[in-house]
Structures are given as structure tokens and as C-alpha cells.
Amino acid sequence: MDWSKIKTIFILTFLVLDIYLMYEFFKLKEASEFEPIAQATLEKQLKDADITFDEPLPKSNPKDRYLRAKPVEFDIEDLEGDTRLEGQEITITEGTTLNSVLDESIKISDKFSPSELSAFIKNRVLFGDQYRFWEKPENSNRITYYQEFEGKMFYMNLNGELTFYLNDENEIVSYKQTLLTKIESKEESEKVIQPIKAVETLYKNGSLQPKSKVTNVELGYFTFVHLSSSQLLTPAWRFVINDEENLFVDAFEGKIIKLNNEEKNSGVRRTCLYNSAFSRAAVLGMQSLSRRRNIPFWLMPD
């Protein structure tokens, strides 16, 4: 055995390794020095455009993961005798929508506050504690809530929705409910993009206009793939602009989630995929999509 050759090989190997590690170190150092400069430049652009924020944006990198969920199939026989539904006439539509007509209407104030319905939702709606108020549009007979999971809302999700209907006397006379269940997640969480990066995307795209005020920022979930029996949800940043408009950004990929005009104006979420995700999935196949987005295949919708 030629020990001198082995010694030379070891020296060369460690030399190459040292060079590689130094290269990675300086690359990370350069990136870390550039990021504050880029952020400072963006903040100046936002200031020049008179774009303001009610609260400072979070600067941490929270972690999140994809979710898989299935719509609940309601069974009218299972609901018979449920005390939460007393004083309500219940019907089921297409298996997944519970419709309720109230024996006694509920009067609400002209300036509605979600607290007015808190007790009813908690005690008289199935799994009512899983829903959070979304909106009551002016001149509308609807009050909409969406389901949430671990404190994060399923944005504009027709399969996790609670909608109350009012008569002309401003009284709630009925509601309909859908519910997502069997919520599964990828075991390991991943870092999502910082909200400032999402703001940058919205600003450069023109979605965030000059003189806008960002009145609320939160992390929730948006439907990425929606099939008949289940759906895949991706973390999404929600930005409320001037207390009126909602803008969404995929918190993993940093892409804007586009809504059509009906969705923007009425808050109605149709069962579709954003950015033609469904057509991409159809072309590449669900398994390919799973690899591309680093999603375990068992999480993909059936």
C-alpha cells in the first residue's frame, strides 16, 4: 500500500472541501449583506408611493405546511335529536351542504358586529367554534364565516363556509353550512416567505396601488387543488387593502393568487384552481406535481 499517495489524496480532498466551504460562506455572506439593502430600497419605494401599514410587518420567517382535507358528508338521520339544531328545520343538499331554516328569526343591528352571533354559532351550529367571521357586505342579505384550522382561516373556501341569510327586516332567517374534516398535514413544516417579499410581489405587479393602506396582514390557507372528494390547501398571505380589498400570495412560491372580478367584488369563492394549477396538474400528473412542490404524494387529493 502506497501511503504517500493516500496521504496526497487526503490532502487534495480536504483542500477541495475547504475551497467549497469558503465559496458557500462568502456566497451566504454576500446574500445576507444584500438583503437589508434590497429591503431598504423597497421600503423607500413604498414610502415614495405613499403605501402605509396599520401595523409593522412581521419580520420573522414563520413555518407552515400543506394541508389535505375532505368535505363532511352530512347524514340527516345522524342529526336527528341533536340538541344544537333544536328550533331549526334541517335539510341536506348534495350530501355536503347543511341547510337550516330557523323557527325564530334573529334580529341584528344595522351596524352588525360578529359578537351578535357568537353565542348562536357556538351553541346552535355544528362545530361552530371552527368558524371565523369573514364579511357582511353593504346592501347584501348575507353574512359569511369561513372555517379555520389552528387559528388560520381557509380563505374563501366553499367547503368550509357558514353563510347566514337575512330578510328585509334585517333578521337572520336561515343559514347554510359546509365543513372540512380529516385534515392532514405534511409532518415537517417549511419556512414561508416573509410578508415583505409578498408585498414586493404585489407592488411590482401593480396589484398594490400607490396611496394604499394595508390594514391587515395574516397567514391562512388557500385551495391549491380542489377535486370532488378532497382538496389540497397551501399557506397564503392575506393582505387587506383600505379595509376593502383582499389580496393573496402563495406563502411558499411567492406567486399572486388571482381572483376573478366576481370573487373580488362579492367575496364568493368558486371551486377552481388559481394560476391554472389544475391544467398544469392534468398535464404533469398528480405525482409529478407532488414532486415539483415537494408534497408527499399521500397528501395529494384523491
Side-chain angles (χ1 to χ4, degrees):
M1 184 177 292
D2 193 335
W3 290 106
S4 62
K5 286 185 178 180
I6 294 175
K7 181 179 178 182
T8 302
I9 290 172
F10 271 109
I11 291 173
L12 291 174
T13 301
F14 282 109
L15 179 61
V16 171
L17 179 61
D18 286 343
I19 293 172
Y20 171 75
L21 291 175
M22 288 180 64
Y23 167 75
E24 289 294 324
F25 171 76
F26 284 113
K27 188 169 70 170
L28 289 172
K29 185 172 183 293
E30 182 180 355
S32 64
E33 290 174 348
F34 175 75
E35 188 171 339
I37 296 173
Q39 184 168 324
T41 303
L42 174 61
E43 289 174 353
K44 184 178 186 307
Q45 290 175 348
L46 296 175
K47 184 177 180 180
D48 292 343
D50 198 19
I51 295 173
T52 57
F53 300 83
D54 268 2
E55 298 288 340
L57 291 175
K59 294 187 176 181
S60 60
N61 274 97
K63 290 185 175 183
D64 216 319
R65 70 277 198 220
Y66 292 101
L67 298 180
R68 177 185 176 179
K70 297 185 176 184
V72 165
E73 292 276 348
F74 294 106
D75 188 328
I76 194 69
E77 293 183 359
D78 292 340
L79 300 179
E80 291 178 1
D82 194 315
T83 57
R84 291 171 293 182
L85 302 178
E86 288 181 357
Q88 305 178 45
E89 182 181 339
I90 304 297
T91 57
I92 307 299
T93 305
E94 296 181 355
T96 58
T97 301
L98 183 151
N99 307 284
S100 169
V101 177
L102 307 183
D103 290 348
E104 297 182 7
S105 59
I106 303 172
K107 182 72 174 179
I108 64 170
S109 61
D110 292 335
K111 294 184 178 180
F112 172 74
S113 168
S115 61
E116 297 178 48
L117 283 178
S118 295
F120 181 86
I121 293 174
K122 180 180 179 181
N123 301 313
R124 306 294 302 281
V125 174
L126 300 179
F127 307 101
D129 58 348
Q130 295 188 28
Y131 295 88
R132 178 155 45 106
F133 174 72
W134 174 255
E135 68 173 358
K136 182 189 181 299
E138 288 187 26
N139 303 319
S140 171
N141 72 331
R142 295 193 330 269
I143 303 174
T144 304
Y145 290 69
Y146 286 114
Q147 191 178 347
E148 60 180 3
F149 176 72
E150 297 181 348
K152 297 171 186 172
M153 184 178 282
F154 294 153
Y155 297 130
M156 306 175 78
N157 196 313
L158 286 183
N159 290 118
E161 184 178 64
L162 177 64
T163 304
F164 292 93
Y165 295 95
L166 288 75
N167 61 17
D168 293 337
E169 282 73 47
N170 213 38
E171 298 172 331
I172 294 174
V173 293
S174 64
Y175 70 84
K176 72 174 183 178
Q177 176 188 11
T178 55
L179 178 71
L180 287 168
T181 187
K182 295 183 179 178
I183 301 171
E184 303 171 286
S185 67
K186 182 179 177 182
E187 291 183 4
E188 273 190 45
S189 296
E190 302 174 34
K191 283 186 178 181
V192 302
I193 63 170
Q194 289 185 323
I196 188 64
K197 295 296 293 181
V199 168
E200 180 180 15
T201 299
L202 292 169
Y203 176 66
K204 290 184 175 180
N205 175 268
S207 299
L208 185 58
Q209 295 291 316
K211 301 186 183 301
S212 295
K213 176 182 279 191
V214 180
T215 50
N216 188 34
V217 179
E218 66 171 350
L219 188 63
Y221 295 99
F222 217 96
T223 303
F224 176 60
V225 178
H226 190 164
L227 301 180
S228 58
S229 60
S230 63
Q231 58 183 265
L232 179 73
L233 300 107
T234 184
W237 285 109
R238 174 198 177 200
F239 297 89
V240 182
I241 312 302
N242 302 321
D243 282 325
E244 296 177 352
E245 183 182 8
N246 289 288
L247 300 176
F248 301 93
V249 176
D250 185 316
F252 279 150
E253 290 202 337
K255 294 179 179 179
I256 297 173
I257 299 174
K258 297 184 181 296
L259 308 179
N260 60 39
N261 288 332
E262 181 185 7
E263 292 164 346
K264 288 180 181 178
N265 296 332
S266 68
V268 176
R269 172 63 179 158
R270 299 304 173 193
T271 53
C272 62
L273 309 177
Y274 70 87
N275 289 340
S276 301
F278 184 78
S279 60
R280 294 203 305 270
V283 174
L284 298 174
M286 286 297 182
Q287 193 165 8
S288 175
L289 180 62
S290 170
R291 289 195 301 268
R292 189 160 51 87
R293 293 291 296 260
N294 192 28
I295 308 167
F297 189 63
W298 63 268
L299 264 182
M300 297 300 291
D302 297 327

